[in-house]
Amino acid sequence: MKRVFWPSLLLILLLAACSTSSSDVECLEGICVSLEVDGPIQALQPVPFVISFRTEKDITGLEISMYGDTNINIIDIDKKPDEARITFQKESSMHWQIDTKGGEEYVITGHFELPKPTVSYGIFSYGLIASAGHPSIARVTDSVSIYLDAEGNQIENSKAILEMQTDWPAPTPPPDLTIVPPTPWPTIVWPTETPLPTVTPPGYPAPGDEGAAGQQNFPTLPAYPNP
């Protein structure tokens, strides 16, 4: 019994060592999908991936997708089933549609690229997802998490998670950098409201200064000379 067990265990360990970032097969309602990524991974270098999927029964129009963070770049597709049709494509995602045969396994392979970290310290995480499904049945997903250090090199997942829980100090500015404090806005003092001068209307003429019918008497102008 031991003679069979130890060689089998050694084979399992060797197979696991071939892929530094992989996941088990995920299945739901007769649809299975698996995403595997080979390492070690380095920023700005092509990273190979493998999507495997199968269905228990024939399915018309099975949808296969691969997508990740917006800064992940899918470089190329090396291999895919001839009957798989691309329905959507951009830098960080690709989608196919295929009519599957029950029990048959299908494989899509290609390469993607991770960006170079722009900060000189810390851990950077990236997520990649593969999904398979049909609107009338179900959708199943499998994912891979990738961690890079500030140099763009891959870090083992458990170590990366531990370091991500560490508080990192703020970056130190270079010695020749002059920091100018912000200038406060000047305080605006609005002038106080000055009341407008009061205009007193002239009084009515005193009694006796008015003519008949209450009209005021105006001086009489001299008549024009007679011709």
Side-chain angles (χ1 to χ4, degrees):
M1 183 69 180
K2 292 183 179 179
R3 294 179 181 178
V4 177
F5 174 76
W6 287 110
S8 300
L9 179 60
L10 180 60
L11 178 61
I12 293 174
L13 293 176
L14 289 175
L15 291 175
C18 295
S19 178
T20 60
S21 180
S22 63
S23 54
D24 297 331
V25 177
E26 300 291 337
C27 297
L28 180 64
E29 297 185 15
I31 302 175
C32 298
V33 66
S34 172
L35 172 62
E36 295 185 1
V37 176
D38 290 335
I41 298 173
Q42 189 174 11
L44 302 180
Q45 296 295 326
V47 182
F49 68 87
V50 179
I51 302 175
S52 304
F53 58 96
R54 67 177 185 272
T55 59
E56 292 182 357
K57 301 178 181 181
D58 296 356
I59 295 181
T60 300
L62 182 72
E63 298 174 354
I64 307 297
S65 301
M66 176 177 171
Y67 50 93
D69 298 333
T70 55
N71 48 7
I72 291 179
N73 183 24
I74 300 177
I75 301 175
D76 56 38
I77 300 298
D78 290 336
K79 177 183 177 182
K80 72 176 185 63
D82 294 336
E83 56 271 33
R85 306 173 298 277
I86 296 179
T87 58
F88 180 78
Q89 178 180 0
K90 66 177 184 178
E91 289 81 3
S92 59
S93 65
M94 293 192 71
H95 304 263
W96 300 268
Q97 194 174 76
I98 183 175
D99 300 336
T100 62
K101 300 293 183 182
E104 185 174 346
E105 186 176 29
Y106 301 87
V107 175
I108 298 176
T109 64
H111 297 82
F112 68 92
E113 182 183 82
L114 297 180
K116 182 74 163 57
T118 57
V119 182
S120 60
Y121 65 95
I123 304 298
F124 302 84
S125 62
Y126 304 90
L128 201 62
I129 299 174
S131 67
H134 191 276
S136 63
I137 305 175
R139 177 167 294 275
V140 58
T141 62
D142 193 16
S143 62
V144 169
S145 296
I146 303 169
Y147 299 93
L148 302 181
D149 61 15
E151 299 298 325
N153 301 315
Q154 185 180 13
I155 300 180
E156 196 274 328
N157 288 15
S158 59
K159 180 182 178 181
I161 294 174
L162 180 62
E163 293 191 18
M164 290 176 65
Q165 297 174 352
T166 303
D167 293 332
W168 293 90
T172 303
D176 57 346
L177 178 64
T178 302
I179 300 178
V180 179
T183 303
W185 290 95
T187 303
I188 301 176
V189 179
W190 297 99
T192 57
E193 295 183 358
T194 303
L196 296 175
T198 303
V199 179
T200 304
Y204 290 98
D209 293 339
E210 295 181 354
Q215 299 295 326
Q216 185 175 355
N217 295 327
F218 292 97
T220 303
L221 298 177
Y224 288 100
N226 293 326

